[in-house]
């Protein structure tokens, strides 16, 4: 397979304007051309528009991460991987004592910040929303804090995410194997001033988007809490699970389905018995026939988006904006698509606490247009028995996560034990409660889709205004 090389001739003046850097990054990114385009507009350099710790553009120090299980002793901790996820209810917990120390207290996230990954895959950007105010971030996330007296935070975020802002952000990266960005690389980043009307409109769109994502998170949490409350239960926390003791030194009557101790561990049995004290049904009874299995294997033939499906894998499915390769529609059948209300569960992985194995996602709205790899368990509720959104309200819970992990098999790389899955007990609330949970979930995903559209609208508005050269 031949490699494609990019070749570009540049004038010597570009070398002078970039400090005579001889690596390709600043010139191939498009940042230099954009500087020429921005001459049509009044511009400010980013450090003149920020305020706060270290001038408002900063990341953090290297530090030892002391994780805890109990929320009373920890704060939600955002890493570059978790930063991209839509549902932030499962963040690991950093020691509260460390987080509030003089060394780390400034790493707290505040609403309106722009967060940018600055190590590894650099340049991924999100806007901090209201439900992130009690979250801390790691040293690989760079924060940009807009000075409210100089610029609107939503406009600044939207600009940095446009095809004019992104090249500026990534042009300063350095490193060969692991790339990095530092606050000093933003010293000469140009921000166009497009007039009060445009900047206010872009800001308002981003703020509305953030509010909708906060609603998305609140609805999901409310649906899960309601589902459990209605059957007299409370979802467990990771701390609860670990406080129940180890899985060593127990006896169990093994059936013909499995001889693996994990499938009979006391904590798993305790969860199942709690559910069976109320109304419940086995998972298989709630699902359509032929589901509760992983997807088909298929060839991946790359194609242009016009003729392709975007293929989503286990890592990207949980992102707010999933990324994936584009595979030719003609090379696959419709089995790579899923029907509305399908629950996809990450079906391969390891048993690490922060691993995605056994985490669930709900497919509806815009996500129905994508294709999904074979590495997902398909859980499709029978709508004559249970509303699919209601089933997801349970499947996203910590209780379901621990039960699914106890129904696994494998040595290093785990998979589901497909003979154990059908009998997993699922709480079964009354119809009115199930309908309420379903409606909350559907409303959550509608809010999420609308939030993405509003962000895109803000970015498009800025791009059009820059291209037109006027306010």
């Amino acid at each position: 397979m031949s490699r494609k090389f990019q070749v570009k001739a540049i004038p010597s003046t570009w070398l002078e304007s970039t400090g005579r850097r001889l690596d390709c990054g600043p010139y191939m990114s498009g940042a230099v051309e954009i500087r020429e385009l921005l001459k049509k507009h009044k511009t400010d350099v980013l450090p003149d528009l920020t305020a706060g710790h270290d001038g408002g553009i900063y990341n953090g120090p290297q530090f030892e991460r002391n994780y805890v299980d109990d929320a009373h002793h920890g704060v939600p901790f955002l890493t570059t991987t978790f930063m991209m996820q839509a549902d932030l209810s499962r963040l690991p917990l950093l020691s509260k004592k460390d987080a509030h120390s003089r060394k780390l207290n400034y790493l707290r996230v505040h609403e309106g910040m722009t967060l940018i990954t600055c190590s590894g895959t650099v340049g991924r950007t999100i806007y901090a929303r209201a439900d992130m105010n009690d979250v801390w971030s790691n040293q690989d996330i760079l924060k940009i804090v807009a000075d409210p007296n100089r610029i609107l935070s939503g406009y600044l975020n939207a600009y940095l995410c446009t095809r004019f802002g992104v090249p500026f952000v990534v042009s300063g990266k350095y490193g060969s194997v692991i790339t990095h960005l530092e606050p000093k690389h933003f010293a000469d980043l140009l921000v166009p001033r497009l007039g009060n009307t445009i900047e206010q409109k872009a800001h308002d769109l981003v703020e509305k988007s953030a509010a909708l994502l906060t609603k998305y998170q609140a609805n999901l949490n409310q649906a899960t809490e309601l589902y459990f409350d209605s059957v007299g239960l409370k979802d467990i926390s990771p701390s609860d699970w670990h406080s129940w003791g180890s899985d060593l030194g127990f006896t169990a009557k093994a059936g013909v389905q499995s001889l693996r101790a994990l499938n009979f561990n006391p904590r798993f049995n305790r969860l199942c018995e709690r559910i069976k004290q109320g109304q419940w049904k086995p998972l298989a009874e709630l699902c359509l026939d032929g589901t509760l299995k992983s997807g088909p294997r298929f060839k991946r033939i790359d194609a242009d988006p016009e003729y392709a499906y975007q293929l989503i894998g286990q890592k990207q499915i949980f992102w707010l904006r999933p990324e994936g390769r584009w595979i030719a529609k003609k090379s696959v059948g419709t089995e790579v698509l899923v029907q509305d209300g399908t629950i996809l569960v990450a079906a391969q992985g390891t048993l690490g606490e922060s691993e995605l194995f056994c985490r669930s996602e709900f497919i509806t709205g815009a996500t129905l247009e994508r294709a999904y790899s074979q590495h997902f368990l398909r859980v499709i509720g029978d709508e004559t028995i249970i509303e699919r959104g209601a089933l997801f309200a349970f499947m996203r819970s910590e209780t379901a996560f621990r039960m699914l992990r106890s129904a696994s098999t494998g040595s290093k790389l785990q998979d589901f034990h497909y003979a154990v899955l059908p009998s997993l007990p699922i709480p079964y609330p009354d119809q009115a409660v199930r309908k309420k949970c379903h409606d909350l979930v559907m409303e959550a995903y509608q809010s999420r889709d609308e939030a993405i559209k509003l962000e895109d609208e803000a970015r498009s508005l800025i791009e059009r205004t820059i291209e037109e050269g006027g306010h």
Side-chain angles (χ1 to χ4, degrees):
M1 181 177 178
S2 60
R3 293 181 60 189
K4 292 183 179 180
F5 293 92
Q6 288 184 301
V7 179
K8 189 174 190 177
I10 64 170
S12 60
T13 53
W14 287 15
L15 295 174
E16 296 174 7
S17 65
T18 56
R20 300 189 181 278
R21 284 184 60 171
L22 297 179
D23 57 317
C24 297
Y27 313 108
M28 303 303 288
S29 68
V32 180
E33 292 96 327
I34 292 171
R35 285 183 183 276
E36 295 299 315
L37 179 62
L38 291 182
K39 288 181 178 179
K40 300 178 183 178
H41 301 272
K42 176 182 180 298
T43 59
D44 289 319
V45 291
L46 182 61
D48 289 344
L49 303 173
T50 58
H53 178 80
D54 263 5
I57 305 174
Y58 60 96
N59 47 10
Q62 296 282 344
F63 62 93
E64 182 179 355
R65 301 178 187 179
N66 296 312
Y67 291 110
V68 297
D69 296 320
D70 193 335
H72 293 295
H73 302 293
V75 297
F77 186 57
L78 199 64
T79 66
T80 54
T81 299
F82 282 105
M83 189 182 97
M84 306 309 298
Q85 294 189 10
D87 185 349
L88 299 179
S89 62
R90 301 186 294 261
L91 296 180
L93 298 174
L94 181 71
S95 165
K96 185 178 291 186
K97 180 181 178 181
D98 292 347
H100 288 282
S101 67
R102 179 180 297 181
K103 181 179 180 181
L104 303 181
N105 62 4
Y106 67 90
L107 294 183
R108 184 175 181 174
V109 176
H110 295 283
E111 181 180 0
M113 286 180 168
T114 289
L115 309 181
I116 302 177
T117 56
C118 60
S119 181
T121 303
V122 302
R124 288 182 172 140
T125 304
I126 66 168
Y127 188 68
R129 54 190 195 255
D131 57 334
M132 297 172 67
N133 279 331
D134 293 323
V135 171
W136 263 248
S137 68
N138 73 358
Q139 70 272 17
D140 297 325
I141 297 176
L142 184 139
K143 299 181 179 69
I144 296 179
V145 186
D147 182 344
N149 298 316
R150 299 298 308 278
I151 195 168
L152 296 168
S153 59
Y155 166 68
L156 178 58
N157 173 269
Y159 165 69
L160 293 174
C161 294
T162 64
R163 57 189 177 86
F164 299 109
V166 171
F168 274 139
V169 170
V170 301
S171 64
K173 69 181 181 181
Y174 68 94
S176 53
V177 178
I178 300 177
T179 54
H180 296 273
L181 281 175
E182 298 295 340
K184 63 183 180 182
H185 297 142
F186 293 76
D188 61 348
L189 192 153
L190 295 180
V191 180
R193 307 315 304 264
L194 305 180
N196 292 338
T197 301
I198 295 296
E199 293 187 12
Q200 184 69 56
K201 186 174 181 180
H203 171 76
D204 290 344
L205 288 168
V206 172
E207 283 286 296
K208 289 178 183 177
S209 173
L212 285 169
L213 289 175
T214 299
K215 180 181 179 181
Y216 155 82
Q217 185 72 77
N219 274 29
L220 291 185
N221 294 344
Q222 184 183 348
T224 299
E225 184 177 356
L226 174 61
Y227 196 97
F228 278 83
D229 285 348
S230 67
V231 290
L233 294 174
K234 182 177 174 60
D235 191 18
I236 65 168
S237 67
S239 177
D240 293 332
W241 175 259
H242 293 297
S243 70
W244 289 356
S246 66
D247 297 325
L248 302 176
F250 65 90
T251 60
K253 184 178 180 180
V256 296
Q257 296 176 331
S258 173
L259 293 176
R260 189 186 195 193
L262 181 63
N263 302 146
F264 303 94
N265 74 76
R267 290 185 292 178
F268 170 52
N269 289 334
R270 181 174 174 178
L271 283 178
C272 293
E273 290 306 314
R274 290 175 76 216
I275 293 173
K276 289 179 179 179
Q277 290 175 9
Q279 301 177 82
W280 69 279
K281 290 183 181 294
L283 180 59
E285 189 175 324
L286 298 176
C287 296
L288 294 177
D289 292 340
T291 63
L292 289 184
K293 63 180 182 180
S294 59
R297 295 180 179 273
F298 51 88
K299 283 187 176 181
R300 291 158 167 77
I301 299 176
D302 295 327
D304 292 332
E306 183 180 357
Y307 308 102
Y309 296 122
Q310 188 181 30
L311 178 64
I312 306 301
Q314 286 189 152
K315 178 181 178 181
Q316 291 80 13
I317 195 174
F318 300 102
W319 291 7
L320 178 62
R321 291 176 176 268
E323 299 173 3
R325 62 190 288 188
W326 293 88
I327 58 167
K329 293 180 179 179
K330 289 186 176 180
S331 69
V332 295
T334 56
E335 67 274 6
V336 300
L337 305 175
V338 298
Q339 57 180 283
D340 197 359
T342 296
I343 300 167
L344 296 181
V345 186
Q348 274 88 42
T350 61
L351 295 172
E353 283 293 297
S354 62
E355 296 295 322
L356 297 174
F357 175 54
C358 296
R359 293 296 185 189
S360 302
E361 182 57 279
F362 191 67
I363 308 302
T364 189
T367 54
L368 290 169
E369 301 169 2
R370 301 185 174 108
Y372 297 93
S373 72
Q374 71 268 26
H375 305 298
F376 292 106
L377 173 71
R378 270 73 169 165
V379 181
I380 308 177
D382 183 340
E383 292 179 299
T384 64
I385 302 175
I386 191 169
E387 294 76 2
R388 291 175 179 176
L391 182 57
F392 176 68
F394 175 75
M395 295 295 291
R396 68 179 292 274
S397 69
E398 187 71 14
T399 297
F401 171 69
R402 298 297 175 179
M403 290 170 62
L404 288 168
R405 285 217 163 173
S406 298
S408 64
T409 185
S411 52
K412 171 63 176 176
L413 191 66
Q414 302 293 299
D415 199 342
F416 287 118
H417 196 308
Y418 292 95
V420 176
L421 282 177
S423 61
L424 291 181
I426 309 297
Y428 191 65
D430 294 336
Q431 197 276 334
V433 174
R434 301 198 310 269
K435 178 65 165 58
K436 176 63 175 175
C437 292
H438 172 80
D439 290 344
L440 283 168
V441 169
M442 295 303 295
E443 189 178 337
Y445 279 86
Q446 289 164 7
S447 296
R448 172 175 161 173
D449 285 350
E450 182 63 21
I452 294 172
K453 289 179 182 178
L454 290 176
E455 277 190 349
D456 290 342
E457 187 178 339
R459 297 169 189 179
S460 296
L461 172 65
I462 293 170
E463 289 175 349
R464 288 196 308 271
T465 306
I466 291 175
E467 288 171 336
E468 292 167 0
H471 297 172

